[in-house]
């Protein structure tokens, strides 16, 4: 089988930097990673083996057991930062600068009197970090969820890994439902996400099927899969070579390959090797 790789795919600089920092920590056993450092089971298992304690995504309300606490690239709210520091924790902060940009945009809008609409996945760790510091906000996952809110100033931002097309549709719906309101939009989809989405569009012009490699909880990976399916291209979301449904590719001789921003190069290469061997 011929494998066509997307021009931009895989691990972004934000996740790479966070991982590098984790590898530089001399005493992993005295450090807790607060949430999933990356949405990738292999990498998480490796970190656990090195001795890091981990707070699962679902149990971040509990206090980490160690004094040193690593904040992941997804970031946390100021409220959470204060809670941890107030409990005597020392933070190793790997928040991606492009996530920080989303927080800054949200705070700026709120300070300027806007009701903040966050386009993103409800409950996602990054979105939780953004909205925990906001008094008046709503999270919308699609344009269908846009309502007639009773505010004269509405500010729109998005999760850094949202699909640019979804954000544009939400923006259009907000303007349509609030013709008299002052609507301000700040584009906070990060550049690596945009590059991966654009590369996928090009790839989808060339292949009948695409394999998207990424963690189950990875928002940007899911978006890539959804986009491929929306374009009528057969798409498989896999976490590694073992997940590839070979029978599902029967009759196909060219397949596209892309990956989410948490996926290590080694995992992408392993999937590529498997596909080439079919
Ligand atoms: S996906 Fe974007 S915002 Fe998130 S860590 Fe990577 S570069 Fe940063």
């Amino acid at each position: 089988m011929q494998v066509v790789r997307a021009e931009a795919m895989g691990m972004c600089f934000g996740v790479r930097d966070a991982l590098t920092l984790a590898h530089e920590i001399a005493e992993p056993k005295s450090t807790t990673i607060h949430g999933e450092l990356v949405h990738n089971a292999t990498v998480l298992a490796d970190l656990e083996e090195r001795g890091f304690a981990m707070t699962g995504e679902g149990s971040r309300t509990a206090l980490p057991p160690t004094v040193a606490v690593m904040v992941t690239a997804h970031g946390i709210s100021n409220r959470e930062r204060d809670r941890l520091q107030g409990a005597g924790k020392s933070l190793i902060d790997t928040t991606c600068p492009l996530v920080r940009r989303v927080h800054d945009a949200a705070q700026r809008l709120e300070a300027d009197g806007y009701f903040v609409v966050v386009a993103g996945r409800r409950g996602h760790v990054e979105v939780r970090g953004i909205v925990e510091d906001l008094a008046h906000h709503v999270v919308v996952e699609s344009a269908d969820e846009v309502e007639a809110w009773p505010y004269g100033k509405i500010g729109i931002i998005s999760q850094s890994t949202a699909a640019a097309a979804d954000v544009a549709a939400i923006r259009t719906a907000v303007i349509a439902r609030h013709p008299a309101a002052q609507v301000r939009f700040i584009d906070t989809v990060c550049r690596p996400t945009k590059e991966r989405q654009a590369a996928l569009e090009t790839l989808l012009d060339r292949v009948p099927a695409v394999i998207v490699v990424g963690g189950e909880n990875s928002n940007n990976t899911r978006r890539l899969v959804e986009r491929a399916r929306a374009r009528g291209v057969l798409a498989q979301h896999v976490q590694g070579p073992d997940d590839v449904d070979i029978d599902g590719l029967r009759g196909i001789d060219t397949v596209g390959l892309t990956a989410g921003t948490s996926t290590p190069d080694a995992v992408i290469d392993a999937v590529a090797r498997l596909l080439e061997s079919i």
Side-chain angles (χ1 to χ4, degrees), residues 12-15 73 96 98-99 160-161 190 192-193 261:
C12 61
F13 77 91
V15 173
C96 174
L98 299 184
V99 170
S160 61
T161 52
C190 75
T193 292
T261 53

Side-chain angles (χ1 to χ4, degrees), residues 11-16 73-74 94-100 102 126 159-161 188-193 196 220 261-262:
M11 206 172 267
C12 61
F13 77 91
V15 173
R16 248 182 238 284
H74 290 118
T94 72
T95 304
C96 174
L98 299 184
V99 170
R100 213 179 282 281
V102 189
E126 180 191 328
Q159 182 175 354
S160 61
T161 52
T188 54
V189 176
C190 75
R191 183 185 283 269
T193 292
R196 280 149 187 73
N220 68 89
T261 53
S262 296

Side-chain angles (χ1 to χ4, degrees), residues 252-265:
I252 291 170
D253 56 10
T254 306
V255 70
L257 182 64
T258 186
T261 53
S262 296
T263 314
D265 297 343

Side-chain angles (χ1 to χ4, degrees), residues 11-264:
M11 206 172 267
C12 61
F13 77 91
V15 173
R16 248 182 238 284
D17 288 355
L19 267 178
T20 306
L21 218 143
H23 280 283
E24 283 168 3
I25 288 177
E27 293 193 34
K29 289 190 175 66
S30 315
T31 307
T32 303
I33 299 176
H34 198 44
E36 280 192 0
L37 187 65
V38 291
H39 295 312
N40 182 276
T42 322
V43 178
L44 290 178
D46 176 52
L47 291 167
E48 207 155 17
E49 202 170 302
R50 288 190 54 218
F52 283 102
M54 306 238 187
T55 325
E57 288 294 353
S59 50
R60 292 213 315 178
T61 46
L63 271 183
T66 58
V67 172
V69 175
M70 181 179 258
V71 174
T72 72
H74 290 118
I76 53 173
S77 61
N78 291 335
R79 191 193 294 192
E80 176 67 347
R81 199 175 294 274
D82 292 347
R83 182 181 81 99
L84 293 170
Q85 286 173 332
K89 305 297 177 189
S90 142
L91 303 187
I92 304 162
D93 196 350
T94 72
T95 304
C96 174
L98 299 184
V99 170
R100 213 179 282 281
R101 220 182 117 239
V102 189
H103 283 247
D104 291 348
Q107 311 265 304
R108 210 161 57 236
L109 286 171
E110 182 157 274
D112 290 345
Y114 288 87
F115 172 67
V116 183
V117 176
V118 183
R121 194 146 63 82
R122 221 171 277 116
H124 185 278
V125 56
E126 180 191 328
V127 174
R128 288 211 310 268
I130 296 161
V131 301
E132 267 172 20
D133 288 331
L134 299 174
H136 303 291
H137 71 271
V138 66
V139 179
V140 291
E141 298 194 349
S142 73
D144 298 342
E145 294 180 9
V146 171
E147 295 172 18
W149 297 298
Y151 299 101
K153 288 175 82 175
I154 299 175
I156 307 166
I157 55 163
S158 76
Q159 182 175 354
S160 61
T161 52
D166 292 351
V167 179
I170 287 168
R171 180 186 182 188
T172 304
V174 169
I175 293 169
R177 294 293 299 263
H178 305 85
Q182 187 181 332
V183 178
R184 181 155 173 228
F185 169 65
I186 303 178
D187 181 2
T188 54
V189 176
C190 75
R191 183 185 283 269
T193 292
K194 283 181 180 165
E195 286 169 353
R196 280 149 187 73
Q197 289 170 358
L200 175 73
E201 295 297 334
T202 311
L203 186 65
L204 295 177
D205 291 337
R206 300 177 54 195
V207 294
V210 68
I211 305 295
V212 186
V213 195
E216 212 178 339
N217 297 333
S218 162
N219 186 56
N220 68 89
T221 306
R222 286 189 192 189
R223 293 291 178 216
L224 294 172
V225 176
E226 285 167 10
R227 180 59 192 151
R229 290 182 182 152
R231 290 256 324 250
V233 171
L234 187 140
Q236 288 186 16
H237 179 175
V238 304
Q239 300 204 57
D242 294 346
D243 295 342
V244 175
D245 172 12
I246 295 174
D247 282 346
L249 298 173
R250 214 173 280 281
I252 291 170
D253 56 10
T254 306
V255 70
L257 182 64
T258 186
T261 53
S262 296
T263 314

